[in-house]
Amino acid sequence: EAGDPAPIEGEVVMGRFTDVEFIKDGEGLGSGALLVTTQRVAWANASTPGGYAIDYPTISLHAVSREPSDMFPRPCIMCQLFRAGEEAGLQLVPAKPDDLDEIFRCMSECAQLHPDEEDEEDGDAELFTSADAVAEAASLDEKAAAALAHLDAVLDASAVEGEEGQFDDAEAKESV
């Protein structure tokens, strides 16, 4: 059908949705077909030659917006796009309310196939990836809490012995 995005070689189609409005940086481009694949999110309609294709590493954030607001007057998938130092906002507004959760689910599953390279370099991608990692982090928190309790006991000012009022004139000497 004219305006339908087609899958490219090597990608698996996770979802195909019709009558999805595409709004880029506040500019509505009309309703068209949305294709969610393992490699990208593609949208096209008959009046937008070539449509749009967005690779997952470009999508820095995607979320469901259900409550109407000035920014999102209708339920939508809100995306923050980032590429080569440029940022853009995108809203995908399905005409069928039931498609909202399905589009989000498909995008979430596919986004997991493309972890952020910076997170991997920083080691952030490895945080809490298994039950063992969570248990290890919890034991570190217990050790840190014990260390803080020890420091609090050592540094407890009320435990320092001294004469009553021995520091009362300290302010007067500093201001002279």
Side-chain angles (χ1 to χ4, degrees):
E1 187 175 317
D4 276 357
I8 57 176
E9 187 176 328
E11 65 184 4
V12 175
V13 175
M14 299 297 286
R16 185 181 297 267
F17 306 90
T18 57
D19 204 15
V20 176
E21 186 177 358
F22 191 93
I23 303 170
K24 184 177 179 262
D25 287 331
E27 180 185 346
L29 300 176
S31 287
L34 182 72
L35 185 69
V36 180
T37 76
T38 53
Q39 300 299 314
R40 65 197 173 112
V41 175
W43 176 89
N45 68 8
S47 62
T48 308
Y52 287 89
I54 305 156
D55 297 330
Y56 286 102
T58 303
I59 303 171
S60 59
L61 170 80
H62 70 282
V64 174
S65 174
R66 294 185 198 284
E67 297 297 318
S69 69
D70 290 340
M71 187 176 243
F72 306 113
R74 293 173 294 175
C76 66
I77 302 291
M78 183 277 307
C79 299
Q80 191 67 42
L81 310 176
F82 189 77
R83 176 185 273 171
E86 291 186 34
E87 233 177 283
L90 172 66
Q91 290 171 263
L92 302 170
V93 187
K96 299 176 207 156
D98 292 342
D99 285 351
L100 192 66
D101 289 326
E102 186 63 15
I103 293 170
F104 181 77
R105 184 193 64 75
C106 291
M107 288 180 68
S108 295
E109 286 179 11
C110 294
Q112 290 178 18
L113 302 173
H114 304 274
D116 189 341
E117 291 174 13
E118 287 181 21
D119 285 347
E120 285 184 347
E121 290 171 11
D122 295 342
D124 291 342
E126 300 298 319
L127 289 178
F128 304 112
T129 55
S130 68
D132 291 339
V134 172
E136 183 178 331
S139 70
L140 290 176
D141 286 347
E142 290 171 13
K143 291 176 186 173
L148 285 174
H150 173 72
L151 288 174
D152 281 345
V154 171
L155 299 175
D156 185 4
S158 65
V160 176
E161 290 187 29
E163 291 181 34
E164 180 73 30
Q166 76 182 34
F167 299 110
D168 288 349
D169 63 346
E171 281 185 25
K173 289 181 181 175
E174 287 178 11
S175 61
V176 176

